[in-house]
mmCIF file of all heavy atoms in Angstrom:
data_model
loop_
_atom_site.group_PDB
_atom_site.id
_atom_site.type_symbol
_atom_site.label_atom_id
_atom_site.label_comp_id
_atom_site.label_asym_id
_atom_site.label_seq_id
_atom_site.Cartn_x
_atom_site.Cartn_y
_atom_site.Cartn_z
ATOM 1 N N PHE A 27 95.206 90.461 89.949
ATOM 2 C CA PHE A 27 96.011 91.645 90.240
ATOM 3 C C PHE A 27 95.704 92.086 91.683
ATOM 4 O O PHE A 27 96.601 92.265 92.524
ATOM 5 C CB PHE A 27 95.632 92.653 89.163
ATOM 6 C CG PHE A 27 95.995 94.105 89.286
ATOM 7 C CD1 PHE A 27 95.821 94.931 88.177
ATOM 8 C CD2 PHE A 27 96.503 94.672 90.428
ATOM 9 C CE1 PHE A 27 96.134 96.279 88.221
ATOM 10 C CE2 PHE A 27 96.814 96.025 90.488
ATOM 11 C CZ PHE A 27 96.610 96.823 89.394
ATOM 12 N N GLY A 28 94.400 92.192 92.021
ATOM 13 C CA GLY A 28 94.001 92.602 93.362
ATOM 14 C C GLY A 28 94.411 91.595 94.426
ATOM 15 O O GLY A 28 94.881 91.959 95.496
ATOM 16 N N ILE A 31 98.004 92.050 95.166
ATOM 17 C CA ILE A 31 98.281 93.279 95.930
ATOM 18 C C ILE A 31 97.872 93.050 97.395
ATOM 19 O O ILE A 31 98.582 93.416 98.322
ATOM 20 C CB ILE A 31 97.467 94.467 95.352
ATOM 21 C CG1 ILE A 31 98.015 94.846 93.984
ATOM 22 C CG2 ILE A 31 97.426 95.638 96.318
ATOM 23 C CD1 ILE A 31 98.277 96.297 93.757
ATOM 24 N N LEU A 60 106.313 94.172 92.444
ATOM 25 C CA LEU A 60 105.997 95.399 91.703
ATOM 26 C C LEU A 60 107.049 95.675 90.636
ATOM 27 O O LEU A 60 106.739 96.126 89.538
ATOM 28 C CB LEU A 60 105.872 96.555 92.690
ATOM 29 C CG LEU A 60 104.898 96.229 93.835
ATOM 30 C CD1 LEU A 60 105.008 97.223 94.960
ATOM 31 C CD2 LEU A 60 103.479 96.159 93.315
ATOM 32 N N GLN A 145 88.006 97.375 86.900
ATOM 33 C CA GLN A 145 88.472 98.201 88.023
ATOM 34 C C GLN A 145 87.917 97.674 89.348
ATOM 35 O O GLN A 145 88.637 97.540 90.337
ATOM 36 C CB GLN A 145 88.004 99.639 87.744
ATOM 37 C CG GLN A 145 88.481 100.657 88.717
ATOM 38 C CD GLN A 145 90.003 100.779 88.715
ATOM 39 O OE1 GLN A 145 90.658 100.550 87.704
ATOM 40 N NE2 GLN A 145 90.573 101.085 89.861
ATOM 41 N N ILE A 148 89.575 94.575 90.763
ATOM 42 C CA ILE A 148 90.840 94.760 91.496
ATOM 43 C C ILE A 148 90.528 94.906 92.988
ATOM 44 O O ILE A 148 91.120 94.234 93.836
ATOM 45 C CB ILE A 148 91.600 96.011 90.992
ATOM 46 C CG1 ILE A 148 91.990 95.840 89.532
ATOM 47 C CG2 ILE A 148 92.827 96.294 91.859
ATOM 48 C CD1 ILE A 148 92.685 97.057 88.920
ATOM 49 N N THR A 149 89.539 95.773 93.288
ATOM 50 C CA THR A 149 89.243 96.020 94.704
ATOM 51 C C THR A 149 88.624 94.767 95.346
ATOM 52 O O THR A 149 88.887 94.469 96.507
ATOM 53 C CB THR A 149 88.291 97.227 94.887
ATOM 54 O OG1 THR A 149 87.088 96.967 94.173
ATOM 55 C CG2 THR A 149 88.897 98.506 94.389
ATOM 56 N N ILE A 152 91.425 92.430 96.183
ATOM 57 C CA ILE A 152 92.141 92.844 97.402
ATOM 58 C C ILE A 152 91.373 92.357 98.635
ATOM 59 O O ILE A 152 91.939 91.760 99.549
ATOM 60 C CB ILE A 152 92.318 94.385 97.435
ATOM 61 C CG1 ILE A 152 93.254 94.835 96.302
ATOM 62 C CG2 ILE A 152 92.866 94.837 98.787
ATOM 63 C CD1 ILE A 152 93.419 96.352 96.175
ATOM 64 N N GLN A 265 100.208 109.227 87.373
ATOM 65 C CA GLN A 265 100.379 107.921 88.019
ATOM 66 C C GLN A 265 101.291 108.021 89.243
ATOM 67 O O GLN A 265 101.081 107.305 90.232
ATOM 68 C CB GLN A 265 100.939 106.897 87.023
ATOM 69 C CG GLN A 265 99.946 106.498 85.939
ATOM 70 C CD GLN A 265 98.794 105.642 86.447
ATOM 71 O OE1 GLN A 265 98.585 105.465 87.644
ATOM 72 N NE2 GLN A 265 98.015 105.111 85.527
ATOM 73 N N GLN A 268 99.035 109.200 91.884
ATOM 74 C CA GLN A 268 98.126 108.174 92.416
ATOM 75 C C GLN A 268 98.825 107.363 93.505
ATOM 76 O O GLN A 268 98.276 107.077 94.555
ATOM 77 C CB GLN A 268 97.625 107.235 91.313
ATOM 78 C CG GLN A 268 96.448 106.406 91.820
ATOM 79 C CD GLN A 268 96.292 105.050 91.177
ATOM 80 O OE1 GLN A 268 97.274 104.336 90.954
ATOM 81 N NE2 GLN A 268 95.071 104.672 90.880
ATOM 82 N N GLN A 269 100.076 107.014 93.257
ATOM 83 C CA GLN A 269 100.779 106.173 94.235
ATOM 84 C C GLN A 269 101.214 106.980 95.461
ATOM 85 O O GLN A 269 101.187 106.469 96.576
ATOM 86 C CB GLN A 269 101.971 105.487 93.568
ATOM 87 C CG GLN A 269 101.548 104.450 92.542
ATOM 88 C CD GLN A 269 100.652 103.370 93.141
ATOM 89 O OE1 GLN A 269 100.937 102.837 94.197
ATOM 90 N NE2 GLN A 269 99.542 103.070 92.481
ATOM 91 N N ILE A 273 98.074 105.258 99.092
ATOM 92 C CA ILE A 273 97.097 104.165 99.135
ATOM 93 C C ILE A 273 97.734 102.819 99.459
ATOM 94 O O ILE A 273 97.239 102.058 100.277
ATOM 95 C CB ILE A 273 96.288 104.084 97.807
ATOM 96 C CG1 ILE A 273 95.291 102.927 97.852
ATOM 97 C CG2 ILE A 273 97.168 103.916 96.570
ATOM 98 C CD1 ILE A 273 94.251 103.043 98.891
ATOM 99 N N ASN A 274 98.866 102.538 98.808
ATOM 100 C CA ASN A 274 99.396 101.183 98.993
ATOM 101 C C ASN A 274 100.157 100.996 100.294
ATOM 102 O O ASN A 274 100.394 99.870 100.712
ATOM 103 C CB ASN A 274 100.204 100.760 97.767
ATOM 104 C CG ASN A 274 99.251 100.446 96.625
ATOM 105 O OD1 ASN A 274 98.221 99.818 96.850
ATOM 106 N ND2 ASN A 274 99.550 100.930 95.440
ATOM 107 N N MET A 277 97.338 99.455 101.814
ATOM 108 C CA MET A 277 97.051 98.121 101.274
ATOM 109 C C MET A 277 98.097 97.090 101.714
ATOM 110 O O MET A 277 97.780 95.954 101.991
ATOM 111 C CB MET A 277 97.017 98.173 99.737
ATOM 112 C CG MET A 277 95.856 98.946 99.189
ATOM 113 S SD MET A 277 94.305 98.163 99.685
ATOM 114 C CE MET A 277 93.249 99.555 99.907
ATOM 115 N N TYR A 278 99.372 97.471 101.721
ATOM 116 C CA TYR A 278 100.420 96.487 102.027
ATOM 117 C C TYR A 278 100.690 96.355 103.524
ATOM 118 O O TYR A 278 101.158 95.323 103.967
ATOM 119 C CB TYR A 278 101.742 96.859 101.345
ATOM 120 C CG TYR A 278 101.657 96.995 99.848
ATOM 121 C CD1 TYR A 278 102.379 97.963 99.178
ATOM 122 C CD2 TYR A 278 100.839 96.144 99.103
ATOM 123 C CE1 TYR A 278 102.295 98.096 97.804
ATOM 124 C CE2 TYR A 278 100.750 96.277 97.739
ATOM 125 C CZ TYR A 278 101.478 97.256 97.089
ATOM 126 O OH TYR A 278 101.382 97.388 95.738
ATOM 127 N N ASN A 306 87.016 99.934 100.599
ATOM 128 C CA ASN A 306 87.616 100.241 99.296
ATOM 129 C C ASN A 306 86.688 99.832 98.138
ATOM 130 O O ASN A 306 86.497 100.582 97.186
ATOM 131 C CB ASN A 306 88.967 99.517 99.212
ATOM 132 C CG ASN A 306 89.799 99.940 98.018
ATOM 133 O OD1 ASN A 306 89.683 101.064 97.531
ATOM 134 N ND2 ASN A 306 90.630 99.045 97.538
ATOM 135 N N VAL A 307 86.093 98.634 98.258
ATOM 136 C CA VAL A 307 85.178 98.180 97.192
ATOM 137 C C VAL A 307 83.967 99.109 97.124
ATOM 138 O O VAL A 307 83.608 99.618 96.051
ATOM 139 C CB VAL A 307 84.669 96.738 97.458
ATOM 140 C CG1 VAL A 307 83.658 96.311 96.392
ATOM 141 C CG2 VAL A 307 85.829 95.757 97.518
ATOM 142 N N THR A 310 84.307 102.598 95.707
ATOM 143 C CA THR A 310 84.552 102.665 94.257
ATOM 144 C C THR A 310 83.254 102.965 93.501
ATOM 145 O O THR A 310 83.260 103.615 92.462
ATOM 146 C CB THR A 310 85.166 101.330 93.768
ATOM 147 O OG1 THR A 310 86.345 101.087 94.530
ATOM 148 C CG2 THR A 310 85.545 101.380 92.299
ATOM 149 N N PHE A 369 90.252 107.926 98.556
ATOM 150 C CA PHE A 369 91.003 107.370 97.417
ATOM 151 C C PHE A 369 90.078 106.644 96.444
ATOM 152 O O PHE A 369 90.114 106.867 95.240
ATOM 153 C CB PHE A 369 92.094 106.411 97.909
ATOM 154 C CG PHE A 369 92.844 105.753 96.766
ATOM 155 C CD1 PHE A 369 93.933 106.378 96.186
ATOM 156 C CD2 PHE A 369 92.440 104.526 96.259
ATOM 157 C CE1 PHE A 369 94.608 105.798 95.111
ATOM 158 C CE2 PHE A 369 93.111 103.929 95.180
ATOM 159 C CZ PHE A 369 94.204 104.576 94.611
ATOM 160 N N ALA A 370 89.258 105.740 97.003
ATOM 161 C CA ALA A 370 88.459 104.874 96.125
ATOM 162 C C ALA A 370 87.442 105.665 95.310
ATOM 163 O O ALA A 370 87.124 105.303 94.187
ATOM 164 C CB ALA A 370 87.759 103.801 96.949
ATOM 165 N N ALA A 373 91.008 109.105 93.179
ATOM 166 C CA ALA A 373 92.237 108.743 92.455
ATOM 167 C C ALA A 373 92.262 107.292 91.976
ATOM 168 O O ALA A 373 92.860 107.002 90.935
ATOM 169 C CB ALA A 373 93.451 109.016 93.339
ATOM 170 N N GLY A 374 91.613 106.373 92.720
ATOM 171 C CA GLY A 374 91.634 104.963 92.321
ATOM 172 C C GLY A 374 91.225 104.802 90.856
ATOM 173 O O GLY A 374 92.055 104.521 89.995
ATOM 174 N N PRO A 375 89.949 105.028 90.558
ATOM 175 C CA PRO A 375 89.552 104.877 89.151
ATOM 176 C C PRO A 375 89.916 106.073 88.260
ATOM 177 O O PRO A 375 90.268 105.877 87.098
ATOM 178 C CB PRO A 375 88.034 104.724 89.225
ATOM 179 C CG PRO A 375 87.642 104.998 90.618
ATOM 180 C CD PRO A 375 88.829 105.145 91.482
ATOM 181 N N ILE A 376 89.841 107.293 88.799
ATOM 182 C CA ILE A 376 89.894 108.460 87.896
ATOM 183 C C ILE A 376 91.273 108.637 87.237
ATOM 184 O O ILE A 376 91.366 109.020 86.071
ATOM 185 C CB ILE A 376 89.436 109.743 88.630
ATOM 186 C CG1 ILE A 376 87.936 109.625 88.920
ATOM 187 C CG2 ILE A 376 89.706 110.995 87.784
ATOM 188 C CD1 ILE A 376 87.333 110.782 89.658
ATOM 189 N N ILE A 377 92.347 108.311 87.961
ATOM 190 C CA ILE A 377 93.673 108.458 87.331
ATOM 191 C C ILE A 377 93.766 107.521 86.127
ATOM 192 O O ILE A 377 94.256 107.898 85.058
ATOM 193 C CB ILE A 377 94.799 108.154 88.348
ATOM 194 C CG1 ILE A 377 94.764 109.157 89.491
ATOM 195 C CG2 ILE A 377 96.167 108.098 87.656
ATOM 196 C CD1 ILE A 377 95.222 110.554 89.194
ATOM 197 N N TRP A 378 93.252 106.292 86.267
ATOM 198 C CA TRP A 378 93.281 105.360 85.130
ATOM 199 C C TRP A 378 92.422 105.888 83.987
ATOM 200 O O TRP A 378 92.778 105.784 82.817
ATOM 201 C CB TRP A 378 92.799 103.968 85.547
ATOM 202 C CG TRP A 378 93.734 103.251 86.472
ATOM 203 C CD1 TRP A 378 93.540 103.004 87.803
ATOM 204 C CD2 TRP A 378 95.018 102.689 86.152
ATOM 205 N NE1 TRP A 378 94.610 102.330 88.327
ATOM 206 C CE2 TRP A 378 95.536 102.119 87.346
ATOM 207 C CE3 TRP A 378 95.790 102.621 84.983
ATOM 208 C CZ2 TRP A 378 96.776 101.482 87.404
ATOM 209 C CZ3 TRP A 378 97.024 101.986 85.046
ATOM 210 C CH2 TRP A 378 97.512 101.427 86.241
ATOM 211 N N ASN A 401 103.121 103.665 87.053
ATOM 212 C CA ASN A 401 102.295 103.292 88.206
ATOM 213 C C ASN A 401 103.005 102.226 89.031
ATOM 214 O O ASN A 401 103.108 102.321 90.252
ATOM 215 C CB ASN A 401 100.933 102.782 87.715
ATOM 216 C CG ASN A 401 100.041 102.324 88.851
ATOM 217 O OD1 ASN A 401 100.191 101.228 89.366
ATOM 218 N ND2 ASN A 401 99.123 103.182 89.269
ATOM 219 N N TRP A 402 103.555 101.215 88.340
ATOM 220 C CA TRP A 402 104.203 100.127 89.079
ATOM 221 C C TRP A 402 105.529 100.557 89.702
ATOM 222 O O TRP A 402 105.885 100.112 90.795
ATOM 223 C CB TRP A 402 104.408 98.917 88.168
ATOM 224 C CG TRP A 402 103.089 98.257 87.819
ATOM 225 C CD1 TRP A 402 102.497 98.210 86.592
ATOM 226 C CD2 TRP A 402 102.195 97.602 88.719
ATOM 227 N NE1 TRP A 402 101.297 97.564 86.668
ATOM 228 C CE2 TRP A 402 101.087 97.178 87.968
ATOM 229 C CE3 TRP A 402 102.220 97.343 90.092
ATOM 230 C CZ2 TRP A 402 100.017 96.496 88.540
ATOM 231 C CZ3 TRP A 402 101.145 96.656 90.661
ATOM 232 C CH2 TRP A 402 100.069 96.249 89.886
ATOM 233 N N ASN A 405 104.681 102.593 92.687
ATOM 234 C CA ASN A 405 104.118 101.646 93.636
ATOM 235 C C ASN A 405 105.243 100.900 94.373
ATOM 236 O O ASN A 405 105.235 100.764 95.604
ATOM 237 C CB ASN A 405 103.254 100.673 92.806
ATOM 238 C CG ASN A 405 102.328 99.830 93.630
ATOM 239 O OD1 ASN A 405 102.638 99.521 94.761
ATOM 240 N ND2 ASN A 405 101.208 99.430 93.050
HETATM 241 C C1 BGC B 1 95.919 101.344 92.142
HETATM 242 C C2 BGC B 1 96.571 100.292 92.974
HETATM 243 C C3 BGC B 1 95.841 100.181 94.295
HETATM 244 C C4 BGC B 1 94.362 99.942 94.071
HETATM 245 C C5 BGC B 1 93.610 99.958 95.376
HETATM 246 C C6 BGC B 1 94.455 101.008 91.941
HETATM 247 O O1 BGC B 1 93.818 102.001 91.170
HETATM 248 O O2 BGC B 1 96.581 101.485 90.895
HETATM 249 O O3 BGC B 1 97.931 100.614 93.168
HETATM 250 O O4 BGC B 1 96.369 99.145 95.074
HETATM 251 O O5 BGC B 1 93.823 100.924 93.216
HETATM 252 O O6 BGC B 1 92.244 99.782 95.182
#
Side-chain angles (χ1 to χ4, degrees):
F27 166 169
I31 290 228
L60 308 167
Q145 185 63 29
I148 297 177
T149 58
I152 294 176
Q265 290 289 10
Q268 193 209 42
Q269 292 302 314
I273 179 63
N274 286 318
M277 292 298 145
Y278 303 143
N306 190 28
V307 177
T310 304
F369 177 86
I376 291 179
I377 297 287
W378 291 108
N401 178 280
W402 290 113
N405 194 330

